[in-house]
Amino acid sequence: RTMGISPGWGWLLLLPVCQALTVPREVSGRAGERLSLRCWYPRGYENYNKYWCQGHSRVSCHKVVETAGQEAPQQHGRVSIQDNHIFCVVLLTMEDLSEEDAGSYWCGIERTGSDLMEPVTVRVVPG
């Protein structure tokens, strides 16, 4: 019996943990279900405010939800965000997905100067 990583966390080994701001290019979910989306960020930004922003342009998108630098989950309506400082990953969860949720989102880190931001497209498949 090998003492490995507990089941469910093995995928962490496949990712560039704590190196660069990374999101999937595109994720899709089914209407009425829950969608989860992960955003990885570089070491050193643990206590910075992370947020998800909705809109086509990084300058005009509007913040959907933000962490305020905390690890505790923050919720706004059907959307929640949680930051894990050990693995440098931000988790976005959208409950009861609707077709209006589809479109462009940005994972952002607030910092002096221009924020670090990476885009991801959310597609919603009819339920």
Side-chain angles (χ1 to χ4, degrees), residues 96-107:
D96 190 20
L97 206 56
S98 76
E99 302 194 21
E100 289 82 67
D101 295 322
S104 303
Y105 289 80
W106 300 78
C107 174

Side-chain angles (χ1 to χ4, degrees), residues 2-117:
T2 58
M3 291 295 291
I5 289 187
S6 62
W9 288 97
W11 51 269
L12 279 169
L13 300 176
L14 309 173
L15 289 148
V17 176
C18 302
Q19 285 174 20
L21 191 62
T22 312
V23 287
R25 293 220 172 282
E26 190 178 298
V27 292
S28 57
R30 194 172 291 280
E33 294 185 2
R34 170 194 291 163
L35 177 77
S36 293
L37 181 50
R38 290 183 182 89
C39 170
W40 307 85
Y41 59 86
R43 173 77 64 215
Y45 286 100
E46 290 84 352
N47 297 311
Y48 285 64
N49 183 35
K50 325 294 189 311
Y51 58 87
W52 285 95
C53 206
Q54 186 177 15
H56 288 291
S57 156
R58 59 180 287 155
V59 289
S60 65
C61 66
H62 65 275
K63 282 183 189 172
V64 183
V65 68
E66 56 190 315
T67 65
Q70 310 291 316
E71 277 197 293
Q74 307 292 318
Q75 188 154 0
H76 188 266
R78 296 176 296 111
V79 184
S80 63
I81 189 170
Q82 184 164 14
D83 191 358
N84 182 316
H85 291 173
I86 296 172
F87 294 114
C88 310
V89 62
V90 178
L91 178 66
L92 175 75
T93 308
M94 293 188 212
E95 303 286 347
D96 190 20
L97 206 56
S98 76
E99 302 194 21
E100 289 82 67
D101 295 322
S104 303
Y105 289 80
W106 300 78
C107 174
I109 301 178
E110 231 170 65
R111 61 171 186 177
T112 310
S114 63
D115 291 0
L116 281 178
M117 293 175 81

